[in-house]
Amino acid sequence: MSHDESSGADIGIVGLGVMGSNLARNFHSRGLTVAVYNRERDMLDDFMAEFGDERFIACADYAALAAALKPPRRVVMMVTAGRAVDAVLDALVPHLEAGDIAVDGGNSNFVDTDRRNARAASEGWRFVGMGVSGGEEGALKGPAMMPGGDREAWEALQPLLESACAVSDSGPCVDWCGRGSAGHFVKMVHNGIEYGDMQLIAEVHSLMRRGLGMAPPAIREVFEGWNRGPLESFLIEITAGIVAAKDPSGEGPLLEQILDVAGQKGTGRWTAIGAIELGVPLPTITAAVDGRALSALKSARLEAAAAFPSAGSPLTGVSVDDLESALYAAKIMSYTQGFALLAEASEVRDYGTDLAAISRIWKAGCIIRARFLDRVYSAFRARPDLPLLMLDESFAGELRARLPAWRRVVAQAALAGITTPALSASLSYFDTVITGRGTASLIQAQRDWFGAHTYRRFEAPEAPVHSDWDALEQL
């Protein structure tokens, strides 16, 4: 298979759904020639009818796609995670040559990415698992991109990806995330942190609406104000636009007509599972995942609400400023947990992930983009081996200042019967981390009693000890 290296398409896109078509248009808008293919021919025809010109090359099949591309061929697959990716690879790979690059830009499980990396290595082509964040608008105007895997493949892709990604004041929001499946692992953790952010914001909204009895316009003003301060972020910005939006089908706020059942596509759950497998505590994000699962139990929750009736109590002794402090402090905990997971995965899975670089590429384009990430970037630049983000002195000082308000919010919410699983889990995580001597001594004693699992003493922590607990003299 040969072709003229001076002509042809710079990049290929397989899959012209919303994300794929927008990403194709994004690359095209940067002056690139883009070859496009879609399994359903009518979607390809519709795309070309609406957007086609001489720099879009419509391809009838994978052979035509390969023939249209300059070497090394660079093909980005924007198809549903799972079997669809393998099906595309099975059809595409026979048309690839050594050095050609297939990129999976979907939300694939990193375990699948490991398997595909191994296949590429054995067959002589190159594979890149790449997280893409920013939704359909980001795909069109500039997403955050998280490629991992083959380093030489990244270098071949870098000019194209940097041309199409979001750009912050710290540079292009794309960087190599590390070896193997690092790109999809980083995107998975991004989505887990996103779950945590969304749950925390929803809980604080509930405390304002139910606990403080605030009207939607007043809540909107609070979120608008927060978006001009340390909490400035895309999620706070859109929340301000949501909370007082009028129902187009009736009176009152639209939000109060939306069924309280949250969807999920799996990445948050994968984050929690990945953390458990690596032994990394992730209570804030896990609470958010649990919150979505509990929201799905709508009929059971309605029955439980009838079985345990409560008029509810007002939130007393808590101000809006307290809520801001609690939200910001809990946010630090969520990011502390997420970056601890990235660090452990990098060590155990040999990713070689640069945590500062990850925080930098999340500063624009992606869903969790926020002013806050400047601080995270500075923390890991100053101390790449920082064991926990909350131990950065800048963040530690902010936590000390906000801790009384945070405790007040969680305590009063519990007394009022207003559920705050992520705010509470975040505070519990913080209190556990700052407890120099915790509860595990008793757990180890119990394990030794029923299973002879041994324990270790303070004066000789390297030497396991077993006791015959039945025979020990009592105080």
Side-chain angles (χ1 to χ4, degrees):
M1 191 181 299
S2 63
H3 42 198
D4 180 0
E5 297 189 13
S6 65
S7 64
D10 301 290
I11 195 164
I13 301 291
V14 173
L16 294 175
V18 172
M19 290 292 288
S21 62
N22 280 3
L23 193 61
R25 292 169 59 199
N26 182 345
F27 283 119
H28 178 273
S29 73
R30 317 297 174 165
L32 302 175
T33 298
V34 184
V36 290
Y37 170 75
N38 195 81
R39 185 181 64 175
E40 291 81 11
R41 181 61 193 237
D42 58 340
M43 290 181 67
L44 177 61
D45 292 341
D46 290 346
F47 177 88
M48 292 301 293
E50 186 169 0
F51 306 112
D53 66 12
E54 69 280 359
R55 286 192 294 106
F56 274 127
I57 303 174
C59 302
D61 52 34
Y62 289 107
L65 179 69
L69 290 164
K70 298 175 185 176
R73 298 177 181 86
R74 290 165 286 197
V75 181
V76 180
M77 300 174 289
M78 298 299 293
V79 299
T80 305
R83 286 176 292 183
V85 178
D86 292 314
V88 170
L89 288 173
D90 288 344
L92 173 65
V93 167
H95 304 286
L96 299 183
E97 296 175 338
D100 290 346
I101 305 162
V103 181
D104 176 10
N107 273 335
S108 288
N109 190 310
F110 69 93
V111 176
D112 289 336
T113 305
D114 283 328
R115 174 172 52 78
R116 291 164 188 148
N117 273 320
R119 174 182 177 182
S122 69
E123 295 178 358
W125 46 282
R126 289 176 171 163
F127 184 74
V128 169
M130 181 174 75
V132 178
S133 179
E136 58 183 280
E137 181 178 0
L140 180 62
K141 298 180 180 178
M145 299 181 181
M146 295 153 254
D150 189 310
R151 182 66 185 257
E152 291 184 8
W154 150 245
E155 291 168 356
L157 289 163
Q158 184 174 0
L160 303 185
L161 299 183
E162 287 186 346
S163 75
C165 71
V167 179
S168 76
D169 55 7
S170 297
C173 291
V174 62
D175 207 337
W176 185 65
C177 293
R179 293 176 285 273
S181 54
H184 278 135
F185 196 95
V186 167
K187 176 55 162 58
M188 178 191 77
V189 175
H190 165 282
N191 285 24
I193 292 172
E194 178 186 314
Y195 271 53
D197 271 352
M198 294 171 72
Q199 178 69 29
L200 290 168
I201 292 168
E203 290 175 18
V204 168
H205 171 265
S206 176
L207 291 172
M208 282 190 271
R209 188 76 173 112
R210 294 179 54 202
L212 299 181
M214 294 172 61
I219 296 174
R220 180 191 62 223
E221 290 181 9
V222 169
F223 279 107
E224 288 173 343
W226 287 356
N227 201 45
R228 294 188 291 269
L231 284 168
E232 179 189 340
S233 66
F234 172 69
L235 286 170
I236 292 289
E237 176 188 348
I238 67 170
T239 300
I242 289 170
V243 293
K246 186 178 180 297
D247 182 4
S249 300
E251 297 300 318
L254 173 59
L255 184 59
E256 295 187 359
Q257 301 306 317
I258 296 176
L259 185 67
D260 56 327
V261 175
Q264 54 180 317
K265 292 186 176 180
T267 47
R269 186 167 61 248
W270 296 346
T271 308
I273 293 169
I276 290 170
E277 290 176 340
L278 290 170
V280 177
L282 211 68
T284 306
I285 294 169
T286 300
V289 175
D290 287 346
R292 295 199 189 190
L294 281 164
S295 78
L297 304 178
K298 181 64 175 177
S299 60
R301 288 190 292 113
L302 289 173
E303 184 175 342
F308 301 93
S310 171
S313 304
L315 194 63
T316 58
V318 168
S319 68
V320 169
D321 287 344
D322 289 339
L323 296 179
E324 180 181 24
S325 290
L327 178 56
Y328 188 77
K331 183 183 181 80
I332 295 174
M333 293 304 99
S334 184
Y335 281 71
T336 292
Q337 296 158 31
F339 275 88
L341 177 56
L342 287 175
E344 182 67 11
S346 180
E347 177 71 23
V348 171
R349 301 178 62 82
D350 191 33
Y351 285 152
T353 302
D354 180 340
L355 299 186
I358 299 307
S359 60
R360 183 189 65 76
I361 65 177
W362 286 350
K363 284 180 59 178
C366 67
I367 302 302
I368 65 171
R369 59 187 184 266
R371 176 191 296 188
F372 178 90
L373 285 158
D374 279 321
R375 306 280 307 290
V376 180
Y377 177 68
S378 296
F380 285 114
R381 277 291 299 274
R383 190 179 169 189
D385 61 347
L386 184 66
L388 292 172
L389 182 63
M390 62 179 278
L391 297 178
D392 171 74
E393 185 47 44
S394 175
F395 282 123
E398 290 186 325
L399 286 167
R400 284 190 286 267
R402 289 166 168 78
L403 185 56
W406 188 13
R407 293 196 187 286
R408 196 157 49 244
V409 168
V410 171
Q412 292 301 320
L415 290 171
I418 301 174
T419 178
T420 57
L423 286 169
S424 302
S426 299
L427 181 57
S428 179
Y429 174 87
F430 173 82
D431 282 335
T432 302
V433 170
I434 67 169
T435 300
R437 184 164 185 175
T439 58
S441 298
L442 180 56
I443 293 170
Q444 280 302 103
Q446 292 169 331
R447 295 179 72 242
D448 188 52
W449 184 308
F450 65 67
H453 294 294
T454 74
Y455 57 89
R456 297 170 191 269
R457 298 179 62 96
F458 281 104
E459 72 269 18
E462 300 304 318
V465 179
H466 169 62
S467 292
D468 182 357
W469 291 88
D470 272 326
L472 291 180
E473 182 180 350
Q474 295 293 301
L475 296 175

